[in-house]
Amino acid sequence: MRDGRRPWWGGPVDVAILIGIGLLTGVTTVLFGFGGGFAAVPVVVWADAALGADAMRVATATSALVMVVNAAFATAVTPRRVLGALRGGTGLLLLLAAGGTAGALATRLAPAALVRWLFVAYVAITIVDLLLRPGFLRPRAHIEEPADGPRPLPAVLGVPIGAVAAFLGVGGSVMTVPAMRRAGHTMHVASALANPLTLAIALPATAVSLGGAALPASAGAHIHLVGLVDPGAAAALLAGALPVIGVLRRRPPRIPDRVHAWAYVGLLTVVAAAMSLSGVPR
């Protein structure tokens, strides 16, 4: 570049890394219902490190956009018999959206470092809960998928789930998947239903992030933002994710339920470690 600054992505290596993480988000969207939040937030913090403390705000906003697209696509290719479990769940979806709006507004006001460490703390507490409390790794009874699909969560949980998920940029599956798992559903069903629930949270959160004021021009001048969203990073992540979602939804891997549950916990552990180290300068 003529002014000697790096482009927003820092070079082909950064693009390759973002696309590679996009591939991972595609896998986690299908297998765990994550939509991309847990994998996207740490890598965007890393890619946009020039923004300093504001990188966390940009990461959560960019993550929300990635989750909207991933979750919408995954929902569109989910069998109708699974989505049928959301019939009558309009109240839950509306409250998830309300919570998502509140969480997205709150993250604009909170100190960025606080959001980052709350992210790490929340994931760590979730891991401990999944390991110690029965019902996730050690089901109380043999898990059988109900003939009419999984039951929706109580509507009253919509606002807190939506607010926490949007505030931290994690989607919502980290709360919805364990809850449905403990209700007696397989990991396959719980993960599939997490995508439309994530979409309800991420849509308003993305609207808030895109419509808000951008960061000062002096902050990471080589990074081009729309509101608080880094569209370049989002595009690279989606370029890797969408083809994977399409393939895995058509040919889902056969994973034993217990292995699937342990893989969920393992992924959370990797993400917590990555987020803890994401502030290390490159």
Side-chain angles (χ1 to χ4, degrees):
M1 297 183 67
R2 292 181 182 178
D3 61 0
R5 290 196 303 261
R6 298 184 308 152
W8 71 269
W9 34 264
V13 172
D14 284 14
V15 173
I17 290 173
L18 285 166
I19 293 175
I21 295 297
L23 293 171
L24 175 61
T25 67
V27 173
T28 61
T29 297
V30 174
L31 296 185
F32 306 109
F34 282 168
F38 280 108
V41 169
V43 76
V44 176
V45 168
W46 170 82
D48 289 348
L51 295 174
D54 288 319
M56 185 64 192
R57 290 193 180 91
V58 172
T60 56
T62 304
S63 169
L65 176 59
V66 171
M67 285 188 288
V68 164
V69 180
N70 283 346
F73 184 43
T75 299
V77 295
T78 295
R80 300 284 84 87
R81 66 180 179 81
V82 175
L83 295 179
L86 289 178
R87 288 174 188 161
T90 303
L92 172 65
L93 295 175
L94 290 176
L95 290 174
L96 284 169
T101 302
L105 291 171
T107 198
R108 297 179 65 90
L109 303 175
L114 174 64
V115 177
R116 177 182 171 218
W117 289 111
L118 284 177
F119 180 108
V120 175
Y122 182 77
V123 176
I125 290 170
T126 299
I127 293 168
V128 172
D129 176 70
L130 297 181
L131 290 172
L132 299 183
R133 193 154 62 100
F136 188 83
L137 295 173
R138 304 183 303 280
R140 296 183 181 88
H142 180 65
I143 294 176
E144 294 181 358
E145 183 176 340
D148 58 351
R151 298 183 298 273
L153 296 175
V156 70
L157 298 178
V159 170
I161 288 176
V164 171
F167 183 77
L168 299 179
V170 300
S173 62
V174 72
M175 288 170 273
T176 61
V177 169
M180 289 185 285
R181 169 84 169 161
R182 288 188 169 112
H185 303 300
T186 64
M187 283 293 297
H188 171 74
V189 171
S191 300
L193 198 58
N195 283 304
L197 299 179
T198 292
L199 183 59
I201 298 169
L203 267 173
T206 300
V208 169
S209 299
L210 288 171
L215 299 175
S218 59
H222 65 283
I223 300 173
H224 306 291
L225 303 177
V226 177
L228 286 176
V229 173
D230 182 343
L237 289 165
L238 291 170
L242 295 179
V244 175
I245 294 172
V247 170
L248 291 182
R249 271 289 185 242
R250 286 173 175 79
R251 294 188 178 89
R254 296 181 179 274
I255 304 174
D257 192 72
R258 187 171 178 80
V259 174
H260 201 164
W262 274 104
Y264 183 97
V265 176
L267 181 59
L268 292 185
T269 303
V270 171
V271 169
M275 196 63 192
S276 299
L277 298 173
S278 62
V280 177
R282 306 200 258 171

